[in-house]
């Protein structure tokens, strides 16, 4: 097999992988609230103790994830589906927030909540499903039988 044939096969494989919808798992409203608490605290600590740009603070705190998850929670609620879709790649935002809380002397309780959350997300990562998009919002088809219904209260 020539190098050009392998290159074409690799390109075809990456094109087909790019065409696949992303994978997500379901989180609960309580888990979303914990993500919000952890990222909000990380953002506050970074603002207070870092001289980084606003974009760097937003990325390092994971705070951009929260509005996206609330949008998905609203869609899940409107569709009558249980759980809130969280993409596998979005775990990195929570990891960044926890690492920065550790680095910037975050409150001990929030840091413990962050590590517990990361352990839970690692478990949920094993329960991924293919996503779908409805009106530009990531959703999961149907609902997991053992997940509680999402309620926005």
């Amino acid at each position: 097999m020539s190098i050009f044939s392998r290159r074409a096969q690799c390109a075809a494989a990456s094109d087909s992988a790019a065409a696949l919808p992303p994978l997500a798992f379901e989180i609960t409203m309580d888990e979303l609230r914990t993500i919000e608490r952890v990222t909000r605290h990380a953002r506050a600590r970074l603002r207070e103790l870092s001289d980084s740009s606003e974009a760097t603070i937003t990325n390092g705190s994971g705070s951009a994830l929260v509005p996206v998850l609330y949008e998905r929670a609203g869609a899940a609620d409107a569709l009558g589906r249980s759980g809130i879709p969280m993409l596998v790649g979005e775990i990195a935002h929570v990891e960044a927030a926890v690492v920065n809380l550790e680095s910037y002397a975050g409150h001990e309780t929030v840091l413990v909540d962050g590590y517990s959350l990361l352990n839970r997300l690692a478990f949920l990562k094993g329960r991924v499903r293919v996503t779908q998009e409805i009106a530009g919002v990531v959703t999961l088809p149907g609902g997991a039988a053992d997940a509680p219904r999402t309620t926005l209260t």
Side-chain angles (χ1 to χ4, degrees):
M1 173 184 286
S2 76
I3 191 165
F4 298 110
S5 298
R6 279 186 267 152
R7 185 177 292 164
Q9 286 178 341
C10 290
S14 68
D15 288 346
S16 65
L20 294 175
L23 298 175
F25 51 88
E26 292 181 351
I27 62 171
T28 65
M29 199 64 200
D30 285 341
E31 290 161 341
L32 173 52
R33 288 185 188 111
T34 302
I35 290 170
E36 182 177 20
R37 186 170 55 255
V38 168
T39 59
R40 184 184 308 148
H41 187 54
R43 184 179 186 92
R45 297 305 295 161
L46 285 169
R47 272 192 174 146
E48 183 179 338
L49 299 173
S50 168
D51 59 353
S52 298
S53 70
E54 191 61 31
T56 301
I57 290 171
T58 298
N59 287 333
S61 68
S63 60
L65 179 60
V66 174
V68 172
L69 291 175
Y70 272 109
E71 181 179 49
R72 293 180 197 157
D77 190 51
L79 294 168
R81 297 188 178 154
S82 62
I84 303 158
M86 182 171 177
L87 299 175
V88 171
E90 292 170 337
I91 295 173
H93 295 288
V94 179
E95 290 171 341
V98 172
V99 165
N100 280 313
L101 278 176
E102 180 104 29
S103 299
Y104 288 93
H107 192 277
E108 187 175 294
T109 304
V110 180
L111 192 55
V112 168
D113 287 347
Y115 279 116
S116 294
L117 177 64
L118 286 175
N119 286 336
R120 175 75 179 146
L121 295 178
F123 168 76
L124 291 172
K125 186 177 172 182
R127 305 174 82 191
V128 295
R129 299 187 313 183
V130 174
T131 62
Q132 63 185 27
E133 255 188 49
I134 298 178
V137 179
V138 172
T139 63
L140 288 168
D146 58 342
R149 180 151 159 46
T150 301
T151 53
L152 295 175
T153 55

